[in-house]
């Protein structure tokens, strides 16, 4: 069982930046591909970014590509999401997730992930 804890959310003005962190209880986080998702009120949870277990590959949703960067430090059991040029439409609860499914299975949907954190709120004011 992998426990994930997100942090780093908060209130920021449009154009600002935040860095989210996700710390895993599992010592062998390097065995997991990791993803970030977000969910705004009344909407379904949507894919934001994913990173391969080795850190060698990443994937982004079109809506955040070029503004957000996902990274990981397996030695610290931590995955990050650097969010720049934030927009009001980025407001949501952000969740990190872990999966052992293969990277080439296109890990952009919620059923592909096995473990989830509790989420951290990001609010972007206009």
């Amino acid at each position: 069982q992998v426990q994930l804890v997100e942090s780093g959310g908060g209130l920021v003005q449009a154009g600002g930046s935040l860095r989210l962190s996700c710390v895993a209880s599992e010592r062998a986080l390097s065995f997991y591909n990791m993803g970030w998702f977000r969910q705004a009120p009344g909407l379904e949870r949507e894919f934001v970014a994913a990173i391969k277990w080795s850190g060698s590959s990443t994937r982004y949703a079109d809506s955040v590509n070029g503004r957000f960067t996902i990274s990981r430090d397996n030695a610290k059991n931590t995955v990050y999401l650097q969010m720049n040029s934030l927009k009001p439409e980025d407001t949501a609860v952000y969740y990190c997730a872990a999966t052992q499914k293969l990277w080439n299975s296109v890990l952009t949907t919620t059923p592909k992930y096995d473990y989830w954190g509790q989420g951290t709120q990001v609010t972007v004011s206009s």
Side-chain angles (χ1 to χ4, degrees):
Q1 184 78 11
V2 178
Q3 293 183 338
L4 304 172
V5 179
E6 302 96 334
S7 63
L11 174 63
V12 64
Q13 289 187 335
S17 298
L18 283 175
R19 188 175 83 155
L20 305 183
S21 299
C22 172
V23 179
S25 62
E26 176 61 53
R27 293 181 182 181
L29 184 65
S30 57
F31 292 151
Y32 294 86
N33 296 314
M34 301 294 294
W36 284 97
F37 288 74
R38 66 187 182 186
Q39 187 168 19
L43 299 179
E44 293 187 352
R45 193 170 298 187
E46 65 174 3
F47 171 75
V48 174
I51 187 166
K52 192 174 181 179
W53 61 270
S54 61
S56 60
S57 294
T58 57
R59 184 184 298 271
Y60 296 94
D62 290 343
S63 59
V64 306
N65 197 22
R67 300 188 297 122
F68 291 10
T69 303
I70 188 172
S71 62
R72 66 191 298 160
D73 185 340
N74 287 338
K76 295 183 178 179
N77 291 329
T78 303
V79 178
Y80 304 98
L81 184 68
Q82 178 68 43
M83 305 185 295
N84 299 329
S85 302
L86 283 162
K87 305 175 181 179
E89 51 263 43
D90 294 318
T91 295
V93 177
Y94 283 71
Y95 299 89
C96 71
T99 180
Q100 289 187 302
K101 294 181 177 61
L102 296 177
W103 178 254
N104 59 10
S105 63
V106 188
L107 304 174
T108 59
T109 58
T110 56
K112 296 287 181 70
Y113 290 82
D114 305 307
Y115 304 103
W116 293 85
Q118 83 291 345
T120 185
Q121 176 71 46
V122 171
T123 303
V124 184
S125 62
S126 57

